Amino acid sequence: MPPAYTAQQKAAITQFISFTNLDRNAAIRVLKTHNWDSQTAVNSYYSGGSGVTGSTAAKTTLNKVFDKYREDATGEPDGVGIEGTMKYLTDIDVDLEGLESFAVSEIVQAPAMGEMTREGFVNGWQERNCESIDKQKNYIKTLKRELPGNRELFERVYKYSFTIARAANSKQAPLEQAIAFWELLFSSPLSAIQWKSASTPWLDWWKEFLETSFKKSINKDMWNETLKFAKLTLEDENLTFWTETSSWPSVIDDFVEWVKNEKRGGAKEEVMDEEY
């Protein structure tokens, strides 16, 4: 009788097979050696399983691919700007306005929107054993199938997206940019976390609140805490997980009060009466 696997282990098996096309038994053997961490197992599989990234030949090939997209080979030999990045994304069949473009930014560790570095590009694709444009296109196809059902992968893309949302030479993202990014991250068909429910348009409320009541730049802590808050609201629409003593950023505290008073008919007069 085959051994019983937990739901988490079964999900890891499915994820690993979808990325590698290995048979189930081979997938289980690899996952067991990596403590059932599917992402680590996938990366190890594509790098040869030794923890050492791919061959010198693969690295050479990736450098040549990178060189094709440089706009200024003399002045910026190790960088690709907006024009080259857009051409590259088009070549690997990435929707420039789609969530998969954020996923590619995470893979190549893009330093800013529409930019790539040689180190990030070569290391990111070498770890995934994708040294050619065709292999990268196939990897993205698989990733797009995987994203909607893989919260771990989505959350990694979400958190990295703050890097490219930031203003130049700043640790903060402009509010307008952050809202545009949230719109894509939380409503794309590829998103594993759709921030809305049948009775509560959370994302729409969040944007409305920020545009009318916040009007400030977004820091990394607020960015990451928004993801945590979004997940909890989808599990508990009544917000019972939130208390006045919780360690949420003040903007989320204010948003909760705004939702209760402005969207759910909270009685402001009762709050005033308590002050007398």
Side-chain angles (χ1 to χ4, degrees):
M1 183 176 180
Y5 296 105
T6 66
Q8 184 177 2
Q9 289 170 338
K10 289 178 181 177
I13 294 168
T14 300
Q15 180 183 351
F16 186 85
I17 291 173
S18 72
F19 271 105
T20 64
N21 291 319
L22 284 181
D23 64 69
R24 180 180 173 84
N25 290 334
I28 290 170
R29 285 196 298 271
V30 177
L31 284 164
K32 283 181 177 178
T33 65
H34 294 284
N35 198 30
W36 294 96
D37 185 326
S38 57
Q39 192 60 48
T40 300
V42 168
N43 290 341
S44 177
Y45 171 77
Y46 278 123
S47 64
S50 61
V52 178
T53 52
S55 67
T56 300
K59 187 172 183 178
T60 299
T61 301
L62 280 164
N63 274 295
K64 289 180 179 178
V65 172
F66 181 85
D67 289 345
K68 288 172 50 182
Y69 297 97
R70 295 178 300 174
E71 297 97 333
D72 184 2
T74 302
E76 294 288 342
D78 297 319
V80 172
I82 293 177
E83 183 178 340
T85 298
M86 290 178 65
K87 184 177 187 307
Y88 168 69
L89 293 175
T90 300
D91 287 350
I92 60 172
D93 294 339
V94 166
D95 181 355
L96 300 178
E97 298 181 354
L99 184 56
E100 66 264 37
S101 67
F102 287 5
V104 174
S105 292
E106 191 274 329
I107 290 170
V108 303
Q109 297 290 286
M113 176 73 81
E115 296 181 13
M116 296 188 295
T117 65
R118 182 183 300 278
E119 181 181 11
F121 182 89
V122 172
N123 289 345
W125 285 121
Q126 192 174 10
E127 288 174 1
R128 293 162 175 81
N129 196 32
C130 295
E131 71 276 10
S132 68
I133 289 294
D134 284 343
K135 286 186 177 181
Q136 291 163 21
K137 286 170 66 173
N138 288 333
Y139 188 92
I140 295 303
K141 285 180 182 178
T142 302
L143 183 144
K144 288 170 67 175
R145 292 196 301 267
E146 184 73 17
L147 260 173
N150 188 333
R151 279 200 172 191
E152 180 184 352
L153 175 59
F154 170 79
E155 289 180 23
R156 192 168 72 246
V157 172
Y158 174 96
K159 290 179 180 179
Y160 191 81
S161 295
F162 181 77
T163 299
I164 58 175
R166 294 179 304 177
N169 301 315
S170 173
K171 293 183 178 181
Q172 298 189 325
L175 178 60
E176 183 178 1
Q177 181 84 311
I179 288 176
F181 274 42
W182 275 318
E183 177 75 39
L184 179 58
L185 286 159
F186 286 132
S187 65
S188 167
L190 298 181
S191 175
I193 299 177
Q194 301 278 336
W195 199 13
K196 64 179 180 180
S197 68
S199 59
T200 308
W202 287 111
L203 177 59
D204 290 341
W205 287 0
W206 178 240
K207 292 188 297 180
E208 181 184 347
F209 167 76
L210 293 176
E211 290 171 337
T212 58
S213 304
F214 186 66
K215 302 179 182 179
K216 299 177 184 178
S217 297
I218 309 301
N219 60 33
K220 186 175 182 179
D221 178 64
M222 179 179 166
W223 182 263
N224 290 337
E225 288 294 288
T226 298
L227 174 61
K228 177 182 174 182
F229 180 75
K231 291 190 295 183
L232 289 172
T233 59
L234 294 175
E235 297 170 2
D236 177 9
E237 284 195 307
N238 293 323
L239 301 173
T240 58
F241 63 86
W242 179 90
T243 67
E244 292 183 356
T245 58
S246 301
S247 57
W248 292 102
S250 59
V251 62
I252 289 181
D253 291 337
D254 293 342
F255 176 64
V256 170
E257 292 301 317
W258 182 85
V259 168
K260 291 179 177 179
N261 293 324
E262 300 295 331
K263 298 299 183 181
R264 292 181 169 169
K268 294 181 181 178
E269 293 182 0
E270 291 180 6
V271 176
M272 293 176 63
D273 288 341
E274 291 175 359
E275 296 176 357
Y276 288 100

